[in-house]
Amino acid sequence: MTLALLAALQLAADSIPVVTLGEALRAAARADPGYVAAVGALDNAEWGRRAAWSTFVLPAVSVSADYSVFSTSAFNFGTFRPSPRLAVAAVEARYDLFTGGQKMAALRRAQAEVEAAAAGTREARFALALATEADYYAVLADEELARVAAERVRRAEEQFAVARARVLSGAAVQTDSLQLLLEVKRARVARLDQESALRVSRLQLGRRIGLAGPARAAPLDTAPPPAPPFPLEEAVRQALAQGPAYRVARANERAAAAELMGRRGAYLPRVTLSASMAAFDERFFPQATRRNTLSLGLSFPIWDSGQREIALSRARVNRDVARALRQDLERAAWRDVTAAYEAYTTSREAAVLAAEALAVARENYRVQDTRYRSGATTILDLIDAQLGLAEAEAALVQARFGTRLALAGLEAMLGVRLDPSKDAP
């Protein structure tokens, strides 16, 4: 029955598409709404910077046309006589010669927003990579755990057959077979639970990479991930220098400071050069009269019911908040990076320990199995050895993939790849 079920599961699994980790990372980058939004925000910020640059060299230009029909004749500025129709076409250009530093503030703000968006895109990319790797490793771990559960069932059924034979021969009491029958049922329930978890994790991986159904993960190299290439102090320094979260915080502070500078420029006069060309007639296209205008305007704001003061106060508060957030994030860098760094190094050691524990559990099971067959131990000792072996196998699987996930978390914080075998999205 177990072999038939395993064959059915294998046949169903063979029809599920298999993806490598690199393929999953690239597919997730195309399908994840958050990452798509981050890329779009960067594109918007780039256009904002282009617009800020254009105000230094290009005037604002507008073209308008109007054709009116009156119920009674009115004076026509093109023909200089009463007419029931009026056609007007105009081209206007406007260039701000002096804005109190608001142009420069807008440019600085736009540049800071581009930097923030670029860092935000990188942060979203590594966050997505972390989530994708978590889903990918969950599939691999659940596949290994399903194999462990199937092995537990096989061992329990094998021992149940041995116990039944010993009971029938009078070498053991009937409770031995009952104890092993209970273990067989427990093992089968555990296997069903793990197979259910595997189906769910495959569906989650499929959703992550843009599929409507499940996806399988291609096996990874069993070699342990590499040790960190630098000490903890260097990891903290790199995080502060190029970590996406820290770069976003610094860029947001610069953008808020530039916004404050622009709001202060509203207290200075504005000098504007304007030029226009208009044509008037009673028909379209108007050609009867043309009028050109060149003007130099000066405006000096005095009082606008406190709106400038409100905007200035809000900009100052936003700058202070952005500064406080950046300072708090940098103060927490030692703690956050240390936690991620130590979690990875500890996970690597835990994986080594789990491998050693598995070797001990296998040997313990072999000894207890031999002793039970020869009548030198009790059924409870054998069941404990079976459970210990299954738990040791599961612990090794979880430790191995937990190490890879801890590495992905450290990479997301530093904003760099530490394992060259992985492809970035």
Side-chain angles (χ1 to χ4, degrees):
M1 180 177 179
T2 302
L3 294 177
L5 181 58
L6 289 176
L9 291 174
Q10 183 63 37
L11 181 61
D14 289 341
S15 63
I16 300 175
V18 180
V19 295
T20 64
L21 179 56
E23 292 170 345
L25 291 171
R26 289 188 289 271
R30 294 189 296 268
D32 185 72
Y35 184 68
V36 173
V39 173
L42 177 58
D43 188 60
N44 292 339
E46 288 284 1
W47 274 106
R49 180 168 61 178
R50 296 188 190 104
W53 270 114
S54 69
T55 60
F56 284 90
V57 295
L58 298 175
V61 180
S62 63
V63 178
S64 62
D66 181 71
Y67 185 77
S68 304
V69 178
F70 308 113
S71 60
T72 59
S73 297
F75 183 78
N76 189 301
F77 294 96
T79 60
F80 296 102
R81 64 175 182 267
S83 174
R85 294 176 298 275
L86 174 62
V88 181
V91 178
E92 297 182 359
R94 182 185 182 90
Y95 183 80
D96 292 322
L97 297 176
F98 181 76
T99 61
Q102 294 186 50
K103 280 186 178 182
M104 183 57 67
L107 177 59
R108 291 180 179 177
R109 183 177 68 251
Q111 290 175 333
E113 289 174 349
V114 169
E115 294 177 13
T121 301
R122 189 172 183 82
E123 183 180 28
R125 184 178 70 183
F126 276 94
L128 174 61
L130 177 60
T132 304
E133 289 187 54
D135 294 338
Y136 193 91
Y137 300 149
V139 171
L140 292 177
D142 285 339
E143 288 177 350
E144 290 290 325
L145 292 174
R147 180 192 59 78
V148 169
E151 283 294 312
R152 178 184 174 185
V153 171
R154 183 192 63 78
R155 287 193 296 264
E157 291 176 344
E158 180 181 291
Q159 290 301 328
F160 177 70
V162 172
R164 287 293 299 166
R166 296 188 74 237
V167 169
L168 293 175
S169 66
V173 295
Q174 189 174 2
T175 55
D176 283 11
S177 62
L178 293 178
Q179 290 282 356
L180 279 169
L181 179 60
L182 184 60
E183 168 58 16
V184 168
K185 292 182 178 180
R186 288 198 193 101
R188 288 173 178 172
V189 170
R191 182 188 61 193
L192 291 175
D193 184 63
Q194 189 55 54
E195 289 167 354
S196 175
L198 176 58
R199 286 192 291 270
V200 172
S201 62
R202 283 174 171 171
L203 287 169
Q204 173 59 24
L205 178 60
R207 174 205 172 194
R208 179 70 65 185
I209 63 176
L211 298 180
R216 294 173 59 197
L220 296 174
D221 189 356
T222 56
F230 37 69
L232 175 59
E233 293 76 9
E234 178 64 17
V236 176
R237 190 194 66 79
Q238 287 200 23
L240 289 172
Q242 63 187 16
Y246 305 97
R247 291 176 58 190
V248 169
R250 288 193 294 268
N252 286 339
E253 182 185 3
R254 289 195 297 272
E259 176 68 18
L260 178 60
M261 185 180 74
R263 293 299 180 182
R264 287 171 176 165
Y267 286 87
L268 299 176
R270 178 186 292 263
V271 180
T272 303
L273 178 66
S274 302
S276 65
M277 181 182 68
F280 304 88
D281 205 338
E282 61 181 10
R283 60 182 181 178
F284 218 79
F285 294 95
Q287 297 179 353
T289 301
R290 293 187 178 182
R291 186 171 298 168
N292 299 330
T293 304
L294 181 65
S295 61
L296 182 66
L298 173 66
S299 63
F300 191 82
I302 303 299
W303 176 250
D304 62 350
S305 301
Q307 297 304 308
R308 283 181 306 175
E309 286 70 23
I310 293 174
L312 181 64
S313 176
R314 290 174 177 171
R316 184 182 295 110
V317 169
N318 291 338
R319 190 274 313 271
D320 294 341
V321 170
R323 178 179 296 169
L325 289 173
R326 188 264 304 168
Q327 292 173 344
D328 181 70
L329 190 63
E330 291 179 348
R331 285 194 300 268
W334 267 103
R335 183 204 66 188
D336 296 340
V337 177
T338 299
Y341 190 94
E342 296 295 344
Y344 176 54
T345 55
T346 303
S347 296
R348 295 181 76 249
E349 294 299 326
V352 174
L353 178 60
E356 296 175 354
L358 176 58
V360 172
R362 282 174 175 165
E363 180 62 17
N364 182 48
Y365 173 74
R366 186 191 67 80
V367 171
Q368 293 297 336
D369 181 41
T370 302
R371 294 183 65 189
Y372 179 75
R373 290 174 186 268
S374 63
T377 189
T378 65
I379 189 62
L380 295 179
D381 291 334
L382 178 61
I383 292 177
D384 286 342
Q386 289 178 341
L387 291 176
L389 177 56
E391 291 173 356
E393 290 174 334
L396 177 59
V397 171
Q398 293 169 348
R400 192 166 67 243
F401 291 108
T403 301
R404 291 183 176 275
L405 190 58
L407 175 61
L410 181 59
E411 291 174 336
M413 183 164 292
L414 301 182
V416 295
R417 282 296 188 192
L418 301 179
D419 186 357
S421 65
K422 292 190 293 187
D423 294 328

